[in-house]
Amino acid sequence: MTFKAAAIQMCSGVDPQRNAETVARLVREAAAQGAIYVQTPEMTGALQRDRAALRAILRDEANDIIARQAAELAAELRVHVHVGSTPIALADGKIANRGLLFGPDGGKICHYDKIHMFDVDLDNGESWRESAAYQPGSVAHVADLDLGKLGFTICYDVRFPELFRQQAVAGAEIMSVPAAFTRQTGEAHWEILLRARAIENGVFVIAAAQGGVHEDGRETFGHSMIIDPWGRVLASAGPTGEAVVLADIDVAAVHAVRAKIPNLKNARSFALDEVAATGKGGVAA
């Protein structure tokens, strides 16, 4: 089946209501151009570095403005709306970095909580500790849709190829990578990581991103893109500002690429042996 997919690029602020208005406008724009799967970026509902201020605006999933709106838009436009992620309040006081997929009837198909926490110290002085506020997920998902089999990741997950591989082995034909990549890491690694994940698993990759300088002071890399199973960039946005990135997805291309290079089938288990050196020029027997 061939269908048109859209990756929406945003520059989310601290007010969920304003962000929701942006989502509605851009999802409608994507649907008007023929998209029947529309993905938004990581942290669609709010990018807020101040943890106390973030908690003050959070709601549980049942009362979250972005989740409710996505369900309504999906039903109204008869499309799949995938909230790449949005912060959701959990009962224990922690926060879920949660992706939500709604079908054309407005019903929720599944959710995915980001597994890998962005706990890093960058060269420019940026320091992030997602695990201080967010509860990591523990379950990966592959949704069997009429469009194809869709796997879920969020942002930092892209640096963990085993997550992609397990979903590909389970049948995923399309991988979602919504993100809010920092400008520094994005300049170095964003495109190459996305293309690598597409190539090594023979999947389409749809990556909706945040792009620009945000109200809370952070700067994200943008360059939302859609990549085919051969690693070709089918469509891409610029570094900043809003965009609707569109491309045709033909899942038959996944099986054609996997037939040419059947690395998923050819993978072998192996043992790993740590060899200790005995001296210059020699190794232990």
Side-chain angles (χ1 to χ4, degrees), residues 13-74:
V14 299
D15 182 356
Q17 180 60 50
R18 288 204 310 270
N19 295 329
E21 292 167 2
T22 300
V23 169
R25 175 167 48 81
L26 294 176
V27 169
R28 292 181 192 283
E29 181 180 332
Q33 295 183 65
I36 60 173
Y37 167 88
V38 185
Q39 180 191 124
T40 71
E42 181 184 27
M43 289 289 130
T44 292
L47 270 172
Q48 171 59 272
R49 196 187 302 226
D50 185 311
R51 297 276 165 77
L54 177 61
R55 285 190 171 90
I57 62 173
L58 289 185
R59 301 292 182 268
D60 62 15
E61 185 181 316
N63 296 293
D64 180 73
I65 184 174
I66 297 293
R68 182 172 65 250
Q69 179 192 62
E72 292 170 354
L73 285 167

Side-chain angles (χ1 to χ4, degrees), residues 49 51 54-55 92-95 117-120 127-136:
R49 196 187 302 226
R51 297 276 165 77
L54 177 61
R55 285 190 171 90
D92 62 1
K94 283 272 196 173
I95 306 167
M117 298 289 95
F118 191 54
D119 290 357
V120 303
S127 183
W128 302 93
R129 290 293 180 272
E130 283 188 342
S131 62
Y134 291 89
Q135 179 66 46

